[in-house]
Amino acid sequence: AEWDESDFGPFVTDQQIRRYDIQRTRRSVSAALDWRLDDRNTVTLRGMYNHRDDWENRYRLRYQLEDIDANGVGELEIRRQTKAGTPDIKNARREDQRTQNYSLTGDHLLGAAKVNWNLQWAQASEERPNERYIEWRVRRIDGVGNLSDPSYPTISAINSAETALDEFSLREITEEYQYTRDRDLNGRLDIEVPLAEGRTDLKFGARYRSKTKMRDNNFFEYEPLSGFDNLAAAGVRDYSDAGFLPGSQYQAGSFFPETALGGLDLTGGGFEQVDLPEEYLPGNFDADESIIGGYAMITQDLGSRTSMVAGVRVERTQVDYNGYSFVEDDESSS
């Protein structure tokens, strides 16, 4: 709960009661293999794959109290929100996270020269498909906050009849899709050649790195063409938990069920779809970066206590970033 210090004293202004039902599954596998081709050549392969799924349903009851007078009475709005997903993802919000990394390395002796090389590919992604919210509300009713026990603040309506389920009207139905991916490709080659009977070493090589990252989200709001007159008529389920330790004053109560929300055919003609780019477009982007480099260096012993190192490195970096901004034009033409 939150409260503000006004001219009349401290009052509770915002209170939320939430219930979360969560299921998590994690899978991971890794391996490392070495091939010793002969005494002078070795190749190593390593790999790792992680997959994490998180299914979540959330039921949020929120009280917002504004314009509080000297008696602590204000204008109250109560919202009941359900977060869910479609039936193919268990009618829950699914967070699908995957990471994988693979590398191939070689160590070789070619005559007196040492050759080392490495190739590595990695990718991480997160996908949250068909994340749905439905929210109902009752507003502009008289409410009061109770801070008689600061450890248990509450907000309630003065007339409890005004908070009956058939008084709750539909505020919004939304569906969101989120996808983010990060991918890396790296390559390296190093060659070291001893010269002048061990007094001089020449080392040279090349590097390559490519990194791409992207985010592709969308967000839609849906307006039902019929039905959804009130929360009671739409159908509810009681999500209260009798064993909830804080007590009966913090019970979640009744919400539109996650199975009903997941089962809505939002694109089947019974709803009007509205694209809301301001909710997602500023966060979408594509980013590409590549680096190519080469180097050469020489180490020369000038005596038993003195050595010299000289070298040169050349590198080329190329970047390409594409982002978006949303500017709403409120100007009206005459």
Side-chain angles (χ1 to χ4, degrees):
E2 297 179 359
W3 55 84
D4 292 336
E5 185 80 27
S6 71
D7 295 337
F8 308 116
F11 295 110
V12 187
T13 59
D14 194 312
Q15 177 180 307
Q16 297 188 36
I17 300 171
R18 302 187 180 195
R19 168 173 169 161
Y20 291 87
D21 295 335
I22 300 174
Q23 176 187 348
R24 292 190 175 102
T25 303
R26 291 179 173 87
R27 290 86 80 191
S28 180
V29 61
S30 62
L33 301 173
D34 291 336
W35 286 280
R36 189 176 178 86
L37 305 178
D38 52 43
D39 292 340
R40 301 174 67 84
N41 298 278
T42 302
V43 177
T44 303
L45 174 65
R46 293 183 176 87
M48 177 274 296
Y49 178 81
N50 284 313
H51 187 185
R52 171 186 177 271
D53 276 318
D54 184 296
W55 291 274
E56 177 192 291
N57 289 112
R58 189 192 71 191
Y59 312 93
R60 185 183 72 180
L61 172 60
R62 184 175 187 180
Y63 298 86
Q64 293 177 291
L65 195 60
E66 298 180 346
D67 301 328
I68 302 172
D69 62 21
N71 298 316
V73 178
E75 184 179 282
L76 177 61
E77 179 174 329
I78 305 175
R79 299 180 183 181
R80 293 185 176 272
Q81 183 189 74
T82 301
K83 176 165 71 172
T86 49
D88 58 318
I89 50 174
K90 303 182 180 181
N91 295 303
R93 187 277 290 141
R94 181 190 183 192
E95 188 177 274
D96 182 345
Q97 295 181 342
R98 307 185 189 199
T99 60
Q100 47 191 320
N101 187 307
Y102 308 99
S103 67
L104 186 64
T105 304
D107 296 292
H108 310 277
L109 286 175
L110 303 179
K114 297 180 181 179
V115 179
N116 306 103
W117 57 270
N118 175 271
L119 292 173
Q120 185 175 33
W121 181 86
Q123 176 174 290
S125 66
E126 178 180 282
E127 184 177 24
R128 294 169 63 168
N130 304 111
E131 185 172 332
R132 292 184 172 184
Y133 293 84
I134 187 169
E135 189 168 67
W136 305 77
R137 69 180 175 185
V138 59
R139 56 178 176 167
R140 299 192 179 97
I141 63 175
D142 290 334
V144 63
N146 184 355
L147 267 178
S148 58
D149 185 349
S151 299
Y152 295 91
T154 59
I155 296 177
S156 59
I158 293 178
N159 182 1
S160 60
E162 294 180 316
T163 65
L165 294 178
D166 57 7
E167 297 291 335
F168 281 78
S169 61
L170 180 65
R171 180 176 180 267
E172 65 177 8
I173 301 174
T174 63
E175 182 174 291
E176 182 177 13
Y177 175 82
Q178 299 183 28
Y179 182 71
T180 303
R181 189 193 67 216
D182 192 344
R183 183 178 291 165
D184 287 292
L185 176 63
N186 292 277
R188 174 181 61 82
L189 173 66
D190 296 303
I191 301 174
E192 185 175 353
V193 181
L195 304 173
E197 298 181 354
R199 295 179 57 84
T200 307
D201 289 328
L202 173 65
K203 188 173 183 180
F204 58 94
R207 299 285 193 275
Y208 173 77
R209 180 178 182 182
S210 172
K211 183 178 182 68
T212 64
K213 189 169 184 178
M214 57 84 69
R215 178 176 295 153
D216 183 17
N217 296 351
N218 62 43
F219 190 97
F220 296 96
E221 186 173 353
Y222 296 87
E223 182 72 27
L225 301 180
S226 62
F228 295 84
D229 297 326
N230 60 70
L231 181 53
V236 296
R237 176 185 161 193
D238 189 356
Y239 290 86
S240 298
D241 183 356
F244 191 49
L245 294 180
S248 59
Q249 70 270 36
Y250 294 124
Q251 291 295 337
S254 297
F255 294 83
F256 192 73
E258 75 284 353
T259 52
L261 177 56
L264 294 179
D265 186 3
L266 297 178
T267 59
F271 297 84
E272 179 183 351
Q273 184 187 73
V274 180
D275 187 8
L276 298 179
E278 65 271 22
E279 295 288 342
Y280 65 88
L281 195 58
N284 286 353
F285 63 86
D286 291 287
D288 296 281
E289 179 180 305
S290 62
I291 301 174
I292 300 175
Y295 75 96
M297 63 180 242
I298 189 168
T299 302
Q300 175 68 51
D301 289 338
L302 302 177
S304 59
R305 297 184 180 183
T306 307
S307 63
M308 178 189 71
V309 177
V312 61
R313 177 179 177 87
V314 179
E315 186 175 284
R316 179 177 182 268
T317 300
Q318 182 175 354
V319 296
D320 184 13
Y321 297 148
N322 294 303
Y324 306 89
S325 63
F326 179 83
V327 179
E328 185 172 3
D329 186 1
D330 292 330
E331 295 183 2
S332 59
S333 59
S334 56

